[in-house]
């Protein structure tokens, strides 16, 4: 047996030319990859030339090219469809374009400003495609779908009509290497499929639903994704998992949730939290709760944040800063959709009081709507100050419920 890597025909005239990275243990800084990963790429033979779908990380390009060469000559490649420009998929693109001189690159219009910056090349010939555009080449038809933010702005999917194959980009991916390649042949990879969704797709739930609505128009026999097992045994199962995870559950029968998170050493900030909560709770059309962040796990923070339309955060100033449990809350939001959420901040302080502004600024940076001036109280709140906190809660509740206010920047 020789060791020269070859393309694998996964369906008639559709070949896998991806590569494996079995020893990878961390991907993109934030993701653990216990089973390594793969960078999937494909090539389709039509009666009028070949179409390459995505490439691989640059360091693996030799293997990718060897596999590609086992299927066709570079001169026979007519199109290169790039579903996503992240370097794990565009790494071999500059070299591929040099070799495949007759090929035109197809990508999203949103990829336009990225192309040069990511490939450092101004000479790559490309055309843009979006929903309802199609490519007819010989006996094959590709229908394109704009699926922005899954998980970069320029991501697209494509559907190969004659073979009922969805090329989904990173959607339905998992960081899970197994040389057996197909979902029905590898071990149980559900953990990796869910973990990938939670870290990559979760911040874009509404975009996931939009994409699923586009995919629903087509019968899908096989999902050719960009990482992990190719899905062919029961694609609907995976589509339904994405739908379930991305759908907003109406657990509270239309009531919006306001959550107040705080930390406190001498109870001052907690007393403020309590008064604010009473103000919010006056509005019985909302559901409001208070949480002491020093004893809340990150997974629970995420669940509560996700369900909350309003988030109010309280902290004392400690050594000119905000204590760690608050930063934990503010940093875990990276994997959440912030669209449509309101934020506010408050806290007690001794002399300089930086914490409250820091929290407020962070909420604004995260694109929360932050309509109220933060509430800052020096040391022990007086009865009058607690009354102000109560009013602050009432006003925040009104805003969450639709009262218009002028936002300050
Ligand atoms: C270790 C420590 C450091 C502090 N550093 C600051 C500070 O840098 N600036 C400030 O305004 N207050 C500072 N304070 C004062 C607290 O913010 C103040 O006592 C506040 O009322 C505490 O609120 P709490 O009861 O909710 O914890 C500090 C307090 C402690 C215990
Ligand atoms: Fe990606
Ligand atoms: Fe990727």
């Amino acid at each position: 047996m020789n060791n020269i890597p070859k393309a694998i025909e996964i369906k008639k005239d559709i070949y896998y030319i991806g590569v494996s990275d079995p020893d990878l243990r961390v991907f993109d800084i934030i993701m653990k990859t216990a089973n390594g990963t793969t960078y999937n790429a494909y090539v389709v033979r039509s009666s009028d030339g070949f179409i390459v779908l995505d490439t691989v990380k640059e360091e693996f390009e030799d293997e990718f090219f060897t596999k590609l060469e086992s299927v066709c000559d570079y001169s026979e490649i007519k199109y290169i469809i790039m579903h996503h420009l992240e370097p794990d998929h565009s790494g071999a693109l500059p070299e591929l374009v040099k070799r495949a001189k007759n090929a035109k690159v197809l990508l999203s219009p949103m990829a336009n400003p990225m192309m040069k910056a990511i490939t450092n090349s101004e000479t790559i010939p490309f055309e843009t495609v979006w929903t309802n555009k199609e490519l007819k080449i010989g006996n094959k038809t590709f229908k394109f779908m704009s699926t922005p933010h899954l998980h970069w702005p320029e991501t697209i999917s494509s559907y190969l009509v004659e073979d009922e194959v969805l090329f989904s980009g990173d959607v339905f991916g998992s960081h899970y290497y197994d040389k057996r390649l197909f979902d029905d042949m590898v071990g149980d990879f559900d953990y990796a499929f869910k973990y990938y969704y939670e870290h990559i797709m979760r911040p874009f739930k509404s975009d996931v639903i939009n994409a699923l609505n586009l995919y629903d128009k087509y019968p899908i026999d096989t999902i050719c994704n960009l990482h992990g097992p190719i899905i062919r045994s029961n694609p609907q199962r995976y589509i339904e998992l994405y739908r379930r995870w991305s759908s907003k559950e109406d657990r509270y029968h239309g009531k919006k949730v306001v959550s107040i998170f705080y930390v406190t050493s001498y109870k001052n900030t907690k007393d403020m939290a309590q008064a604010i909560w009473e103000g919010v709770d006056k509005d019985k059309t909302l559901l409001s709760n208070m949480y002491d962040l020093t004893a809340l796990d990150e997974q629970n923070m995420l669940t509560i944040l996700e369900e909350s339309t309003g988030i109010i955060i309280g902290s004392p100033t400690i050594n000119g800063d905000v204590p760690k449990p608050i930063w934990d809350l503010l940093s875990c939001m990276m994997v959440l959709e912030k669209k449509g959420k309101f934020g506010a901040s408050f806290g007690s302080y001794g002399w300089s009081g930086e914490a409250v502004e820091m929290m407020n600024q962070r909420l604004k940076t995260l694109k929360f709507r932050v309509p109220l001036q933060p509430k800052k109280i020096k040391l022990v709140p007086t009865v009058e100050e607690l009354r102000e906190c109560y009013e602050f809660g009432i006003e925040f509740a009104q805003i969450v419920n639709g009262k218009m206010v002028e936002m300050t920047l």
Side-chain angles (χ1 to χ4, degrees):
M1 200 172 95
N2 69 37
N3 283 330
I4 299 173
K6 278 180 83 170
I8 297 168
E9 190 166 25
I10 56 172
K11 257 188 145 197
K12 186 165 180 319
D13 291 336
I14 305 175
Y15 298 85
Y16 178 82
I17 51 170
V19 300
S20 309
D21 196 354
D23 300 323
L24 187 82
R25 287 296 172 266
V26 179
F27 183 85
D28 272 5
I29 308 168
I30 56 168
M31 300 183 73
K32 294 181 186 166
T33 51
N35 290 73
T37 194
T38 65
Y39 310 107
N40 301 344
Y42 308 89
V43 58
V44 173
R45 174 189 285 118
S46 82
S47 55
D48 190 28
F50 287 79
I51 306 98
V52 174
L53 300 107
D54 301 296
T55 77
V56 300
K57 216 173 176 178
E58 192 179 3
E59 64 189 273
F60 297 94
E61 68 176 18
D62 290 346
E63 185 180 333
F64 165 80
F65 286 124
T66 308
K67 287 180 174 173
L68 180 56
E69 286 161 18
S70 73
V71 179
C72 63
D73 287 338
Y74 290 109
S75 62
E76 297 175 294
I77 301 171
K78 298 279 177 66
Y79 291 96
I80 302 164
I81 301 175
M82 292 300 298
H83 296 100
H84 181 25
L85 284 186
E86 196 174 350
D88 53 337
H89 309 297
S90 64
L93 180 64
E95 181 58 29
L96 175 61
V97 170
K98 275 188 213 153
R99 297 184 188 197
K101 297 208 184 315
N102 302 327
K104 192 174 281 168
V105 179
L106 300 181
L107 33 66
S108 153
M110 309 243 234
N112 218 330
M114 282 185 185
M115 195 56 176
K116 179 178 170 293
I118 210 138
T119 58
N120 271 340
S121 165
E122 293 200 55
T123 54
I124 296 182
F126 64 86
E127 257 178 34
T128 52
V129 290
W130 53 89
T131 304
N132 294 332
K133 282 256 173 192
E134 67 173 40
L135 167 69
K136 266 193 172 299
I137 168 166
N139 59 343
K140 300 287 180 198
T141 316
F142 291 87
K143 301 250 188 202
F144 295 99
M145 288 166 273
S146 302
T147 50
H149 308 301
L150 302 181
H151 60 119
W152 275 20
E154 88 305 355
T155 45
I156 54 170
S157 301
S158 64
Y159 178 74
L160 177 51
V161 177
E162 292 76 13
D163 303 275
E164 301 188 345
V165 174
L166 173 68
F167 293 95
S168 59
D170 276 339
V171 181
F172 304 125
S174 23
H175 286 310
Y176 189 91
Y177 156 74
D178 187 318
K179 67 177 180 192
R180 291 169 291 186
L181 215 61
F182 295 100
D183 65 327
D184 52 318
M185 296 176 77
V186 305
D188 181 356
F189 68 103
D190 271 4
Y191 94 88
F193 186 77
K194 185 154 201 271
Y195 183 84
Y196 190 88
Y197 173 88
E198 283 180 349
H199 285 78
I200 300 289
M201 301 297 163
R202 186 177 179 171
F204 309 105
K205 288 187 173 187
S206 346
D207 298 291
V208 171
I209 294 289
N210 292 339
L212 298 182
N213 290 340
L214 292 173
Y215 300 159
D216 277 349
K217 294 188 186 142
Y218 302 113
I220 295 171
D221 175 78
T222 304
I223 299 175
C224 288
N225 48 22
L226 290 181
H227 297 285
I230 295 168
I231 295 170
R232 68 175 182 189
S233 66
N234 182 4
Q236 278 309 320
R237 171 177 185 265
Y238 296 91
I239 292 171
E240 285 317 311
L241 284 174
Y242 260 50
R243 199 181 317 274
R244 170 144 49 91
W245 294 332
S246 303
S247 301
K248 293 208 168 61
E249 199 187 346
D250 186 17
R251 275 172 61 192
Y252 306 112
H253 312 289
K255 274 189 174 184
K256 288 182 181 157
V257 175
V258 173
S259 300
I260 302 172
F261 298 94
Y262 68 92
V263 294
T264 193
S265 50
Y266 291 99
K267 216 166 81 47
N268 298 332
T269 306
K270 182 180 181 185
D271 288 345
M272 293 177 72
Q274 180 69 32
I276 293 171
W277 178 80
E278 280 163 23
V280 176
D281 189 55
K282 198 165 163 273
D283 184 338
K284 298 299 178 198
T285 68
L286 293 171
L287 192 63
S288 56
N289 283 311
M290 278 169 59
Y291 303 93
D292 183 341
L293 276 178
T294 48
L296 201 63
D297 284 343
E298 187 170 304
Q299 273 312 315
N300 295 332
M301 286 181 199
L302 281 171
T303 311
I304 298 164
L305 285 166
E306 197 154 51
E307 289 190 341
S308 306
T309 305
I311 290 160
I312 313 180
I313 309 177
S315 174
T317 300
I318 304 289
N319 295 343
D321 205 344
V322 180
K324 190 167 178 302
I326 299 276
W327 284 127
D328 290 343
L329 178 85
L330 290 167
S331 66
C332 78
M333 296 195 204
M334 185 191 278
V335 296
L336 285 189
E337 190 161 52
K338 269 83 69 180
K339 224 183 266 173
K341 290 194 193 292
F342 294 87
S345 57
F346 66 96
S348 168
Y349 70 103
W351 50 94
S352 51
E354 293 90 341
V356 176
E357 266 309 324
M358 282 188 199
M359 296 185 292
N360 224 51
Q361 199 47 52
R362 171 80 176 139
L363 285 171
K364 287 182 183 174
T365 310
L366 289 171
K367 304 213 166 55
F368 277 77
R369 285 184 265 175
V370 185
L372 299 179
Q373 285 301 322
K375 192 81 194 142
K376 235 165 116 173
I377 287 173
K378 196 172 170 92
L379 295 166
V380 183
T382 62
V383 173
E384 180 47 36
E385 285 168 333
L386 288 176
R387 175 91 209 160
E388 286 170 22
C389 290
Y390 175 73
E391 302 290 342
F392 181 90
I394 290 178
E395 202 176 352
F396 188 78
Q398 286 170 344
I399 293 165
V400 169
N401 259 336
K403 185 180 149 193
M404 301 295 278
V405 279
E406 238 177 70
M407 302 271 182
T408 52
L409 287 175

